[in-house]
């Protein structure tokens, strides 16, 4: 096993990506991989804790990403803001003393994952305003994921700028606190959108590009590590503790 907790003098930090924390629908339904059961999620947090790792929200991870602090830390992110994140992920996170960032779609609070319906993914309820308030009151973090879960490369620049900037303002209105973290919907973006995210004042943004993050990396295009239904514990540990996921990084572009 290759120890990649250090690459030269830079710490390699895993940021995990989850979607739904629930039992997967029946076989044959597309994208069953995006479900991790509540029990499995809890077991994964328990493994991290037993190994001495602290699971952190993006806000809490920032000093490590900037290289100001070193330690056994793992970023925990959940995309889209499913109600099962509130019902199942939140209690498990709190029981382990961990934090996490959930990226929500600001104009779809209390609705459902309408952006997925066309590709056969089962409708699932999203957290409403009260749920995301409870999430932040528990010390967990809400990040922005646009206003309508748009594909940024398909829209007009002005509209996409609004999706990026206004989602933050929508959420700040609901939460009464700053929202500094962003996640590109579908993981799709180009350099224009990175600039828009910077203009909107976000501190950091995550993608679906795979791999660990080396501290000092560009904060607006952070790589992550997907944890899916089929991620059993040996692979979970490989993904978190080793350079396993970095095989996806093209040679010479580890930043
Ligand atoms: Zn999403």
């Amino acid at each position: 096993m290759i120890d990649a907790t250090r690459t030269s003098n830079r710490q390699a930090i895993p940021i995990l990506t989850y979607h739904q924390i629930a039992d997967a629908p029946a076989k044959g339904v597309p994208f069953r991989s995006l479900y991790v059961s509540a029990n499995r999620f809890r077991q994964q947090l328990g493994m991290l804790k037993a190994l001495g790792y602290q699971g952190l929200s993006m806000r809490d991870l920032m000093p490590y990403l900037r290289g100001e602090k070193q330690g056994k830390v793992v970023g925990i992110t959940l995309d889209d803001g499913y109600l099962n994140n509130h019902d199942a992920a939140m209690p498990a996170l709190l029981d382990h003393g961990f934090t996490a960032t959930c990226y929500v779609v600001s104009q779809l609070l209390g609705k459902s994952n309408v952006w997925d319906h066309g590709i056969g993914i089962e409708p699932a309820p999203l957290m409403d305003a009260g749920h995301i308030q409870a999430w932040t009151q528990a010390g967990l973090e809400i990040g922005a994921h646009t206003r309508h879960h748009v594909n940024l490369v398909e829209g007009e620049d002005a509209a996409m700028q609004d999706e990026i900037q206004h989602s933050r303002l929508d959420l700040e209105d609901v939460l009464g606190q700053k929202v500094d973290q962003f996640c590109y919907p579908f993981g799709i973006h180009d350099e224009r959108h990175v600039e828009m995210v910077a203009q909107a004042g976000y501190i950091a943004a995550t993608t679906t590009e795979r791999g660990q993050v080396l501290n000092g990396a560009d904060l607006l295009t952070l790589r992550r590590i997907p944890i899916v239904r089929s991620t059993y514990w040996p692979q979970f540990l490989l993904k978190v503790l080793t350079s396993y996921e970095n095989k996806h990084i093209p040679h010479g572009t580890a930043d």
Side-chain angles (χ1 to χ4, degrees), residues 2-14 70 211-216 241-244 246 249 253-255:
I2 304 157
D3 179 9
T5 50
R6 287 186 159 273
T7 303
S8 64
N9 288 320
R10 296 172 67 186
Q11 186 185 2
I13 299 169
Q70 302 250 320
Q212 297 171 315
V213 177
L214 294 181
N215 63 30
L241 303 180
T242 77
S243 60
Y244 176 85
N246 298 345
I249 301 177
T253 60
D255 292 20

Side-chain angles (χ1 to χ4, degrees), residues 41-244:
F41 182 71
R42 187 174 278 276
Q43 283 164 9
Q44 291 170 351
L45 300 188
M47 271 190 275
L48 293 175
K49 183 111 188 164
L51 290 164
Y53 279 83
Q54 183 71 15
L56 296 177
S57 65
M58 293 305 296
R59 175 177 58 214
D60 294 340
L61 197 63
M62 295 315 296
Y64 298 91
L65 293 173
R66 292 190 176 116
E68 296 159 4
K69 270 188 177 179
Q70 302 250 320
K72 291 172 83 170
V73 292
V74 176
I76 300 179
T77 64
L78 301 111
D79 287 11
D80 303 334
Y82 294 99
L83 179 57
N84 53 47
N85 291 181
H86 171 276
D87 295 350
M90 184 162 76
L93 288 160
L94 298 179
D95 284 349
H96 289 84
F98 288 178
T99 56
T101 299
C102 184
Y103 298 109
V104 307
V105 184
S106 68
Q107 288 296 307
L108 295 179
L109 297 180
K111 297 181 180 158
S112 110
N113 53 333
V114 289
W115 65 89
D116 280 337
H117 295 177
I119 52 174
I121 293 182
E122 293 203 333
L126 300 172
M127 291 194 279
D128 66 18
H131 297 123
I132 66 169
Q133 286 163 355
W135 182 271
T136 57
Q137 280 157 15
L140 308 180
E141 183 180 36
I142 291 292
H145 200 36
T146 73
R147 301 187 88 194
H148 301 94
H149 206 287
V150 290
N151 181 338
L152 292 169
V153 299
E154 287 180 352
E156 300 278 334
D157 282 358
M160 297 304 100
Q161 175 83 57
D162 184 65
E163 285 280 340
I164 290 169
Q165 178 140 22
H166 216 117
S167 55
R168 170 181 204 175
L169 303 176
D170 289 343
L171 295 172
E172 288 178 348
D173 272 351
V174 171
L175 298 171
Q177 59 176 239
K178 281 191 72 102
V179 172
D180 289 325
Q181 302 289 335
F182 183 78
C183 174
Y184 302 95
F186 309 106
I188 297 172
H189 62 88
D190 62 30
E191 60 280 0
R192 289 171 301 166
H193 310 115
V194 177
E195 181 55 33
M196 290 175 193
V197 167
Q199 288 284 331
Y202 291 101
I203 291 174
T206 51
T207 69
T208 53
E209 279 154 58
R210 290 171 69 168
Q212 297 171 315
V213 177
L214 294 181
N215 63 30
D218 175 18
L219 293 177
L220 297 184
T221 53
L222 293 168
R223 297 173 182 282
R224 292 187 294 174
I225 296 174
I227 305 298
V228 298
R229 188 183 65 86
S230 58
T231 308
Y232 291 93
W233 70 265
Q235 198 192 16
F236 178 79
L237 293 180
L238 278 175
K239 280 172 172 261
V240 173
L241 303 180
T242 77
S243 60
Y244 176 85

